[in-house]
mmCIF file of all heavy atoms in Angstrom:
data_model
loop_
_atom_site.group_PDB
_atom_site.id
_atom_site.type_symbol
_atom_site.label_atom_id
_atom_site.label_comp_id
_atom_site.label_asym_id
_atom_site.label_seq_id
_atom_site.Cartn_x
_atom_site.Cartn_y
_atom_site.Cartn_z
ATOM 1 N N GLU A 1 124.730 4.383 81.640
ATOM 2 C CA GLU A 1 126.047 4.629 82.258
ATOM 3 C C GLU A 1 126.097 4.077 83.683
ATOM 4 O O GLU A 1 127.037 3.397 84.060
ATOM 5 C CB GLU A 1 126.358 6.123 82.257
ATOM 6 C CG GLU A 1 127.703 6.469 82.939
ATOM 7 C CD GLU A 1 127.962 7.953 83.016
ATOM 8 O OE1 GLU A 1 127.242 8.726 82.365
ATOM 9 O OE2 GLU A 1 128.902 8.359 83.760
ATOM 10 N N THR A 2 125.081 4.402 84.441
ATOM 11 C CA THR A 2 125.028 3.929 85.830
ATOM 12 C C THR A 2 124.912 2.416 85.899
ATOM 13 O O THR A 2 125.550 1.763 86.741
ATOM 14 C CB THR A 2 123.859 4.592 86.565
ATOM 15 O OG1 THR A 2 123.907 6.019 86.359
ATOM 16 C CG2 THR A 2 123.876 4.294 88.034
ATOM 17 N N THR A 3 124.094 1.839 85.023
ATOM 18 C CA THR A 3 123.915 0.388 85.017
ATOM 19 C C THR A 3 125.259 -0.347 84.773
ATOM 20 O O THR A 3 125.595 -1.260 85.487
ATOM 21 C CB THR A 3 122.902 -0.002 83.937
ATOM 22 O OG1 THR A 3 121.614 0.522 84.275
ATOM 23 C CG2 THR A 3 122.797 -1.520 83.777
ATOM 24 N N VAL A 4 125.960 0.108 83.762
ATOM 25 C CA VAL A 4 127.237 -0.538 83.425
ATOM 26 C C VAL A 4 128.233 -0.369 84.576
ATOM 27 O O VAL A 4 128.950 -1.308 84.944
ATOM 28 C CB VAL A 4 127.813 0.038 82.101
ATOM 29 C CG1 VAL A 4 129.240 -0.474 81.879
ATOM 30 C CG2 VAL A 4 126.918 -0.354 80.939
ATOM 31 N N TYR A 5 128.279 0.826 85.157
ATOM 32 C CA TYR A 5 129.212 1.082 86.257
ATOM 33 C C TYR A 5 128.922 0.167 87.445
ATOM 34 O O TYR A 5 129.808 -0.425 88.017
ATOM 35 C CB TYR A 5 129.126 2.554 86.688
ATOM 36 C CG TYR A 5 130.123 2.915 87.769
ATOM 37 C CD1 TYR A 5 131.418 3.227 87.481
ATOM 38 C CD2 TYR A 5 129.704 2.951 89.127
ATOM 39 C CE1 TYR A 5 132.332 3.579 88.487
ATOM 40 C CE2 TYR A 5 130.605 3.273 90.124
ATOM 41 C CZ TYR A 5 131.919 3.615 89.797
ATOM 42 O OH TYR A 5 132.815 3.942 90.783
ATOM 43 N N LEU A 6 127.635 0.047 87.805
ATOM 44 C CA LEU A 6 127.263 -0.795 88.939
ATOM 45 C C LEU A 6 127.585 -2.273 88.660
ATOM 46 O O LEU A 6 128.049 -2.998 89.524
ATOM 47 C CB LEU A 6 125.788 -0.631 89.278
ATOM 48 C CG LEU A 6 125.327 0.757 89.723
ATOM 49 C CD1 LEU A 6 123.887 0.672 90.302
ATOM 50 C CD2 LEU A 6 126.240 1.383 90.755
ATOM 51 N N ALA A 7 127.269 -2.695 87.420
ATOM 52 C CA ALA A 7 127.525 -4.098 87.083
ATOM 53 C C ALA A 7 129.010 -4.435 87.149
ATOM 54 O O ALA A 7 129.386 -5.544 87.518
ATOM 55 C CB ALA A 7 126.961 -4.412 85.695
ATOM 56 N N CYS A 8 129.863 -3.491 86.762
ATOM 57 C CA CYS A 8 131.320 -3.719 86.731
ATOM 58 C C CYS A 8 132.000 -3.456 88.072
ATOM 59 O O CYS A 8 133.177 -3.771 88.221
ATOM 60 C CB CYS A 8 131.968 -2.816 85.652
ATOM 61 S SG CYS A 8 131.443 -3.211 83.956
ATOM 62 N N SER A 9 131.277 -2.922 89.028
ATOM 63 C CA SER A 9 131.830 -2.609 90.356
ATOM 64 C C SER A 9 132.036 -3.867 91.188
ATOM 65 O O SER A 9 131.287 -4.832 91.041
ATOM 66 C CB SER A 9 130.960 -1.626 91.103
ATOM 67 O OG SER A 9 130.992 -0.328 90.551
ATOM 68 N N PRO A 10 133.049 -3.853 92.077
ATOM 69 C CA PRO A 10 133.157 -4.948 93.053
ATOM 70 C C PRO A 10 131.928 -4.982 93.932
ATOM 71 O O PRO A 10 131.271 -3.949 94.117
ATOM 72 C CB PRO A 10 134.433 -4.640 93.838
ATOM 73 C CG PRO A 10 134.626 -3.152 93.640
ATOM 74 C CD PRO A 10 134.105 -2.845 92.266
ATOM 75 N N LYS A 11 131.591 -6.118 94.457
ATOM 76 C CA LYS A 11 130.359 -6.275 95.214
ATOM 77 C C LYS A 11 130.583 -6.610 96.667
ATOM 78 O O LYS A 11 131.531 -7.294 97.038
ATOM 79 C CB LYS A 11 129.518 -7.414 94.592
ATOM 80 C CG LYS A 11 129.220 -7.278 93.106
ATOM 81 C CD LYS A 11 128.411 -6.046 92.764
ATOM 82 C CE LYS A 11 127.943 -5.939 91.364
ATOM 83 N NZ LYS A 11 129.046 -5.761 90.392
ATOM 84 N N SER A 12 129.713 -6.046 97.530
ATOM 85 C CA SER A 12 129.693 -6.380 98.968
ATOM 86 C C SER A 12 128.306 -6.115 99.497
ATOM 87 O O SER A 12 127.702 -5.078 99.194
ATOM 88 C CB SER A 12 130.712 -5.522 99.709
ATOM 89 O OG SER A 12 130.534 -5.717 101.125
ATOM 90 N N ASN A 13 127.829 -7.022 100.299
ATOM 91 C CA ASN A 13 126.535 -6.822 100.956
ATOM 92 C C ASN A 13 126.714 -6.760 102.463
ATOM 93 O O ASN A 13 125.796 -7.052 103.253
ATOM 94 C CB ASN A 13 125.531 -7.904 100.581
ATOM 95 C CG ASN A 13 125.935 -9.279 101.089
ATOM 96 O OD1 ASN A 13 127.070 -9.522 101.488
ATOM 97 N ND2 ASN A 13 125.009 -10.226 101.100
ATOM 98 N N SER A 14 127.914 -6.357 102.923
ATOM 99 C CA SER A 14 128.197 -6.331 104.365
ATOM 100 C C SER A 14 127.279 -5.398 105.122
ATOM 101 O O SER A 14 126.819 -5.719 106.242
ATOM 102 C CB SER A 14 129.668 -6.024 104.633
ATOM 103 O OG SER A 14 129.996 -4.687 104.249
ATOM 104 N N ALA A 15 127.009 -4.201 104.574
ATOM 105 C CA ALA A 15 126.129 -3.259 105.248
ATOM 106 C C ALA A 15 124.668 -3.803 105.279
ATOM 107 O O ALA A 15 123.980 -3.683 106.293
ATOM 108 C CB ALA A 15 126.165 -1.893 104.569
ATOM 109 N N TYR A 16 124.241 -4.381 104.154
ATOM 110 C CA TYR A 16 122.935 -4.986 104.060
ATOM 111 C C TYR A 16 122.749 -6.104 105.094
ATOM 112 O O TYR A 16 121.761 -6.161 105.822
ATOM 113 C CB TYR A 16 122.744 -5.520 102.642
ATOM 114 C CG TYR A 16 121.497 -6.344 102.409
ATOM 115 C CD1 TYR A 16 120.269 -5.749 102.236
ATOM 116 C CD2 TYR A 16 121.587 -7.757 102.297
ATOM 117 C CE1 TYR A 16 119.124 -6.521 102.010
ATOM 118 C CE2 TYR A 16 120.468 -8.509 102.051
ATOM 119 C CZ TYR A 16 119.238 -7.904 101.903
ATOM 120 O OH TYR A 16 118.115 -8.653 101.667
ATOM 121 N N MET A 17 123.764 -6.978 105.195
ATOM 122 C CA MET A 17 123.704 -8.066 106.162
ATOM 123 C C MET A 17 123.765 -7.549 107.599
ATOM 124 O O MET A 17 123.081 -8.058 108.473
ATOM 125 C CB MET A 17 124.876 -9.028 105.918
ATOM 126 C CG MET A 17 124.846 -9.714 104.565
ATOM 127 S SD MET A 17 123.462 -10.827 104.361
ATOM 128 C CE MET A 17 123.951 -12.141 105.497
ATOM 129 N N ALA A 18 124.553 -6.477 107.813
ATOM 130 C CA ALA A 18 124.688 -5.930 109.173
ATOM 131 C C ALA A 18 123.365 -5.365 109.670
ATOM 132 O O ALA A 18 122.991 -5.609 110.814
ATOM 133 C CB ALA A 18 125.768 -4.860 109.192
ATOM 134 N N ILE A 19 122.647 -4.584 108.849
ATOM 135 C CA ILE A 19 121.384 -4.013 109.318
ATOM 136 C C ILE A 19 120.338 -5.085 109.508
ATOM 137 O O ILE A 19 119.548 -5.054 110.476
ATOM 138 C CB ILE A 19 120.889 -2.896 108.366
ATOM 139 C CG1 ILE A 19 119.653 -2.205 108.948
ATOM 140 C CG2 ILE A 19 120.594 -3.434 106.985
ATOM 141 C CD1 ILE A 19 119.844 -1.524 110.286
ATOM 142 N N ASN A 20 120.323 -6.110 108.634
ATOM 143 C CA ASN A 20 119.362 -7.193 108.808
ATOM 144 C C ASN A 20 119.626 -7.971 110.098
ATOM 145 O O ASN A 20 118.711 -8.307 110.855
ATOM 146 C CB ASN A 20 119.393 -8.164 107.611
ATOM 147 C CG ASN A 20 118.739 -7.589 106.397
ATOM 148 O OD1 ASN A 20 118.039 -6.545 106.477
ATOM 149 N ND2 ASN A 20 118.946 -8.208 105.237
ATOM 150 N N GLU A 21 120.923 -8.231 110.363
ATOM 151 C CA GLU A 21 121.282 -8.925 111.592
ATOM 152 C C GLU A 21 120.958 -8.092 112.830
ATOM 153 O O GLU A 21 120.511 -8.604 113.852
ATOM 154 C CB GLU A 21 122.775 -9.313 111.564
ATOM 155 C CG GLU A 21 123.170 -10.297 112.636
ATOM 156 C CD GLU A 21 124.579 -10.836 112.458
ATOM 157 O OE1 GLU A 21 125.053 -10.930 111.288
ATOM 158 O OE2 GLU A 21 125.196 -11.242 113.474
ATOM 159 N N ALA A 22 121.208 -6.785 112.709
ATOM 160 C CA ALA A 22 120.904 -5.882 113.824
ATOM 161 C C ALA A 22 119.402 -5.844 114.101
ATOM 162 O O ALA A 22 118.977 -5.839 115.277
ATOM 163 C CB ALA A 22 121.443 -4.498 113.524
ATOM 164 N N LEU A 23 118.582 -5.788 113.045
ATOM 165 C CA LEU A 23 117.116 -5.778 113.254
ATOM 166 C C LEU A 23 116.646 -7.082 113.853
ATOM 167 O O LEU A 23 115.772 -7.064 114.742
ATOM 168 C CB LEU A 23 116.427 -5.541 111.903
ATOM 169 C CG LEU A 23 116.525 -4.118 111.346
ATOM 170 C CD1 LEU A 23 116.042 -4.081 109.906
ATOM 171 C CD2 LEU A 23 115.698 -3.155 112.205
ATOM 172 N N GLU A 24 117.202 -8.194 113.421
ATOM 173 C CA GLU A 24 116.819 -9.474 114.012
ATOM 174 C C GLU A 24 117.227 -9.507 115.485
ATOM 175 O O GLU A 24 116.490 -9.985 116.344
ATOM 176 C CB GLU A 24 117.537 -10.609 113.250
ATOM 177 C CG GLU A 24 117.038 -12.000 113.600
ATOM 178 C CD GLU A 24 117.639 -12.578 114.833
ATOM 179 O OE1 GLU A 24 118.810 -12.257 115.101
ATOM 180 O OE2 GLU A 24 116.952 -13.340 115.542
ATOM 181 N N LEU A 25 118.411 -8.930 115.811
ATOM 182 C CA LEU A 25 118.863 -8.844 117.183
ATOM 183 C C LEU A 25 117.929 -8.008 118.037
ATOM 184 O O LEU A 25 117.575 -8.365 119.177
ATOM 185 C CB LEU A 25 120.276 -8.301 117.237
ATOM 186 C CG LEU A 25 120.951 -8.179 118.598
ATOM 187 C CD1 LEU A 25 121.131 -9.560 119.248
ATOM 188 C CD2 LEU A 25 122.287 -7.438 118.508
ATOM 189 N N VAL A 26 117.510 -6.883 117.479
ATOM 190 C CA VAL A 26 116.562 -5.995 118.200
ATOM 191 C C VAL A 26 115.243 -6.702 118.457
ATOM 192 O O VAL A 26 114.687 -6.638 119.554
ATOM 193 C CB VAL A 26 116.348 -4.692 117.398
ATOM 194 C CG1 VAL A 26 115.181 -3.886 117.987
ATOM 195 C CG2 VAL A 26 117.606 -3.847 117.381
ATOM 196 N N ASN A 27 114.733 -7.410 117.446
ATOM 197 C CA ASN A 27 113.480 -8.148 117.623
ATOM 198 C C ASN A 27 113.619 -9.217 118.688
ATOM 199 O O ASN A 27 112.663 -9.509 119.426
ATOM 200 C CB ASN A 27 113.057 -8.781 116.283
ATOM 201 C CG ASN A 27 112.567 -7.758 115.289
ATOM 202 O OD1 ASN A 27 112.083 -6.691 115.653
ATOM 203 N ND2 ASN A 27 112.719 -8.059 113.980
ATOM 204 N N ARG A 28 114.809 -9.813 118.777
ATOM 205 C CA ARG A 28 115.023 -10.918 119.734
ATOM 206 C C ARG A 28 115.248 -10.412 121.133
ATOM 207 O O ARG A 28 114.794 -11.055 122.101
ATOM 208 C CB ARG A 28 116.219 -11.768 119.252
ATOM 209 C CG ARG A 28 116.366 -13.087 119.968
ATOM 210 C CD ARG A 28 117.413 -13.996 119.367
ATOM 211 N NE ARG A 28 118.753 -13.514 119.567
ATOM 212 C CZ ARG A 28 119.545 -13.041 118.641
ATOM 213 N NH1 ARG A 28 119.113 -12.998 117.386
ATOM 214 N NH2 ARG A 28 120.781 -12.612 118.876
ATOM 215 N N THR A 29 115.958 -9.312 121.312
ATOM 216 C CA THR A 29 116.353 -8.843 122.635
ATOM 217 C C THR A 29 115.499 -7.702 123.188
ATOM 218 O O THR A 29 115.607 -7.367 124.357
ATOM 219 C CB THR A 29 117.837 -8.424 122.619
ATOM 220 O OG1 THR A 29 118.005 -7.351 121.637
ATOM 221 C CG2 THR A 29 118.732 -9.577 122.245
ATOM 222 N N GLY A 30 114.658 -7.102 122.335
ATOM 223 C CA GLY A 30 113.793 -6.033 122.828
ATOM 224 C C GLY A 30 114.501 -4.711 123.024
ATOM 225 O O GLY A 30 115.607 -4.481 122.505
ATOM 226 N N ASN A 31 113.917 -3.846 123.813
ATOM 227 C CA ASN A 31 114.415 -2.492 124.038
ATOM 228 C C ASN A 31 115.411 -2.450 125.186
ATOM 229 O O ASN A 31 115.058 -2.086 126.327
ATOM 230 C CB ASN A 31 113.253 -1.539 124.297
ATOM 231 C CG ASN A 31 112.319 -1.426 123.087
ATOM 232 O OD1 ASN A 31 112.755 -1.400 121.971
ATOM 233 N ND2 ASN A 31 111.033 -1.331 123.366
ATOM 234 N N LEU A 32 116.618 -2.843 124.940
ATOM 235 C CA LEU A 32 117.642 -2.828 125.956
ATOM 236 C C LEU A 32 118.001 -1.376 126.346
ATOM 237 O O LEU A 32 117.999 -0.497 125.458
ATOM 238 C CB LEU A 32 118.890 -3.570 125.495
ATOM 239 C CG LEU A 32 118.710 -5.067 125.206
ATOM 240 C CD1 LEU A 32 119.986 -5.647 124.595
ATOM 241 C CD2 LEU A 32 118.340 -5.829 126.453
ATOM 242 N N PRO A 33 118.261 -1.118 127.596
ATOM 243 C CA PRO A 33 118.550 0.252 128.008
ATOM 244 C C PRO A 33 119.823 0.810 127.407
ATOM 245 O O PRO A 33 120.807 0.036 127.250
ATOM 246 C CB PRO A 33 118.618 0.160 129.532
ATOM 247 C CG PRO A 33 118.943 -1.281 129.814
ATOM 248 C CD PRO A 33 118.282 -2.070 128.725
ATOM 249 N N VAL A 34 119.849 2.087 127.125
ATOM 250 C CA VAL A 34 121.042 2.764 126.677
ATOM 251 C C VAL A 34 122.000 2.892 127.860
ATOM 252 O O VAL A 34 121.589 3.336 128.926
ATOM 253 C CB VAL A 34 120.724 4.164 126.088
ATOM 254 C CG1 VAL A 34 122.004 4.898 125.695
ATOM 255 C CG2 VAL A 34 119.789 4.043 124.910
ATOM 256 N N PRO A 35 123.273 2.482 127.716
ATOM 257 C CA PRO A 35 124.215 2.648 128.846
ATOM 258 C C PRO A 35 124.267 4.088 129.323
ATOM 259 O O PRO A 35 124.170 5.045 128.510
ATOM 260 C CB PRO A 35 125.563 2.240 128.192
ATOM 261 C CG PRO A 35 125.178 1.320 127.087
ATOM 262 C CD PRO A 35 123.891 1.832 126.540
ATOM 263 N N LEU A 36 124.413 4.263 130.637
ATOM 264 C CA LEU A 36 124.344 5.604 131.234
ATOM 265 C C LEU A 36 125.331 6.572 130.593
ATOM 266 O O LEU A 36 125.013 7.738 130.361
ATOM 267 C CB LEU A 36 124.590 5.505 132.757
ATOM 268 C CG LEU A 36 123.387 5.018 133.605
ATOM 269 C CD1 LEU A 36 123.848 4.908 135.056
ATOM 270 C CD2 LEU A 36 122.230 5.987 133.488
ATOM 271 N N HIS A 37 126.542 6.087 130.294
ATOM 272 C CA HIS A 37 127.561 6.997 129.807
ATOM 273 C C HIS A 37 127.263 7.527 128.384
ATOM 274 O O HIS A 37 127.852 8.515 127.973
ATOM 275 C CB HIS A 37 128.946 6.349 129.848
ATOM 276 C CG HIS A 37 129.156 5.244 128.866
ATOM 277 N ND1 HIS A 37 128.636 3.997 129.062
ATOM 278 C CD2 HIS A 37 129.826 5.183 127.676
ATOM 279 C CE1 HIS A 37 128.952 3.228 128.060
ATOM 280 N NE2 HIS A 37 129.696 3.915 127.211
ATOM 281 N N LEU A 38 126.330 6.877 127.690
ATOM 282 C CA LEU A 38 125.975 7.349 126.348
ATOM 283 C C LEU A 38 124.736 8.227 126.364
ATOM 284 O O LEU A 38 124.358 8.768 125.311
ATOM 285 C CB LEU A 38 125.706 6.157 125.448
ATOM 286 C CG LEU A 38 126.913 5.219 125.153
ATOM 287 C CD1 LEU A 38 126.485 4.111 124.223
ATOM 288 C CD2 LEU A 38 128.077 5.975 124.568
ATOM 289 N N ARG A 39 124.106 8.413 127.492
ATOM 290 C CA ARG A 39 122.890 9.213 127.563
ATOM 291 C C ARG A 39 123.255 10.707 127.726
ATOM 292 O O ARG A 39 124.241 11.080 128.341
ATOM 293 C CB ARG A 39 122.028 8.796 128.737
ATOM 294 C CG ARG A 39 121.604 7.332 128.674
ATOM 295 C CD ARG A 39 120.616 7.017 129.803
ATOM 296 N NE ARG A 39 120.438 5.561 129.942
ATOM 297 C CZ ARG A 39 119.545 5.032 130.762
ATOM 298 N NH1 ARG A 39 118.732 5.788 131.462
ATOM 299 N NH2 ARG A 39 119.450 3.700 130.823
ATOM 300 N N ASN A 40 122.400 11.530 127.130
ATOM 301 C CA ASN A 40 122.533 12.980 127.326
ATOM 302 C C ASN A 40 122.032 13.330 128.706
ATOM 303 O O ASN A 40 121.203 12.643 129.291
ATOM 304 C CB ASN A 40 121.751 13.745 126.268
ATOM 305 C CG ASN A 40 122.454 13.745 124.916
ATOM 306 O OD1 ASN A 40 123.665 13.738 124.853
ATOM 307 N ND2 ASN A 40 121.672 13.768 123.847
ATOM 308 N N ALA A 41 122.542 14.461 129.202
ATOM 309 C CA ALA A 41 122.113 14.949 130.531
ATOM 310 C C ALA A 41 121.707 16.418 130.460
ATOM 311 O O ALA A 41 122.388 17.314 130.975
ATOM 312 C CB ALA A 41 123.242 14.763 131.557
ATOM 313 N N PRO A 42 120.556 16.683 129.808
ATOM 314 C CA PRO A 42 120.120 18.088 129.631
ATOM 315 C C PRO A 42 119.611 18.745 130.882
ATOM 316 O O PRO A 42 119.472 19.933 130.956
ATOM 317 C CB PRO A 42 119.016 17.980 128.559
ATOM 318 C CG PRO A 42 118.484 16.606 128.708
ATOM 319 C CD PRO A 42 119.618 15.750 129.134
ATOM 320 N N THR A 43 119.297 17.984 131.939
ATOM 321 C CA THR A 43 118.767 18.529 133.172
ATOM 322 C C THR A 43 119.703 18.193 134.342
ATOM 323 O O THR A 43 120.489 17.232 134.290
ATOM 324 C CB THR A 43 117.352 17.976 133.510
ATOM 325 O OG1 THR A 43 117.439 16.585 133.843
ATOM 326 C CG2 THR A 43 116.422 18.181 132.309
ATOM 327 N N LYS A 44 119.573 18.958 135.413
ATOM 328 C CA LYS A 44 120.405 18.733 136.588
ATOM 329 C C LYS A 44 120.101 17.337 137.218
ATOM 330 O O LYS A 44 121.039 16.655 137.653
ATOM 331 C CB LYS A 44 120.104 19.823 137.646
ATOM 332 C CG LYS A 44 120.964 19.723 138.888
ATOM 333 C CD LYS A 44 120.605 20.864 139.849
ATOM 334 C CE LYS A 44 121.483 20.689 141.129
ATOM 335 N NZ LYS A 44 121.147 21.752 142.119
ATOM 336 N N LEU A 45 118.854 16.956 137.222
ATOM 337 C CA LEU A 45 118.480 15.656 137.783
ATOM 338 C C LEU A 45 119.169 14.524 137.013
ATOM 339 O O LEU A 45 119.691 13.581 137.616
ATOM 340 C CB LEU A 45 116.967 15.461 137.738
ATOM 341 C CG LEU A 45 116.452 14.093 138.184
ATOM 342 C CD1 LEU A 45 116.837 13.826 139.635
ATOM 343 C CD2 LEU A 45 114.944 13.989 138.008
ATOM 344 N N MET A 46 119.187 14.635 135.672
ATOM 345 C CA MET A 46 119.800 13.594 134.888
ATOM 346 C C MET A 46 121.317 13.528 135.164
ATOM 347 O O MET A 46 121.897 12.453 135.248
ATOM 348 C CB MET A 46 119.575 13.853 133.386
ATOM 349 C CG MET A 46 118.141 13.584 132.949
ATOM 350 S SD MET A 46 117.908 14.003 131.206
ATOM 351 C CE MET A 46 116.249 13.365 130.943
ATOM 352 N N ALA A 47 121.918 14.669 135.338
ATOM 353 C CA ALA A 47 123.357 14.725 135.659
ATOM 354 C C ALA A 47 123.595 14.058 137.011
ATOM 355 O O ALA A 47 124.581 13.314 137.184
ATOM 356 C CB ALA A 47 123.839 16.143 135.661
ATOM 357 N N GLU A 48 122.701 14.322 137.976
ATOM 358 C CA GLU A 48 122.829 13.699 139.311
ATOM 359 C C GLU A 48 122.643 12.196 139.249
ATOM 360 O O GLU A 48 123.144 11.456 140.099
ATOM 361 C CB GLU A 48 121.810 14.339 140.249
ATOM 362 C CG GLU A 48 122.103 15.773 140.613
ATOM 363 C CD GLU A 48 121.004 16.430 141.395
ATOM 364 O OE1 GLU A 48 119.921 15.773 141.573
ATOM 365 O OE2 GLU A 48 121.175 17.580 141.885
#
């Protein structure tokens, strides 16, 4: 049942391509810093 359903379904590999491209980007650019506004601030120092 699952095999027939998958075979008959429309196809897209956009998510697959996106994660592969993202991984390649990470390998190429390294550990870029997280923007300040996206960081958590659990301590007073971090908030400051």
Side-chain angles (χ1 to χ4, degrees):
E1 178 183 348
T2 308
T3 295
V4 172
Y5 183 83
L6 297 191
C8 294
S9 288
K11 305 298 188 293
S12 171
N13 66 345
S14 66
Y16 172 78
M17 297 295 289
I19 185 61
N20 286 348
E21 193 169 332
L23 287 169
E24 191 278 328
L25 180 65
V26 169
N27 289 333
R28 192 172 70 250
T29 58
N31 297 322
L32 296 174
V34 177
L36 282 176
H37 69 283
L38 297 181
R39 301 186 193 186
N40 285 327
T43 69
K44 183 179 178 182
L45 175 61
M46 288 177 173
E48 291 173 352

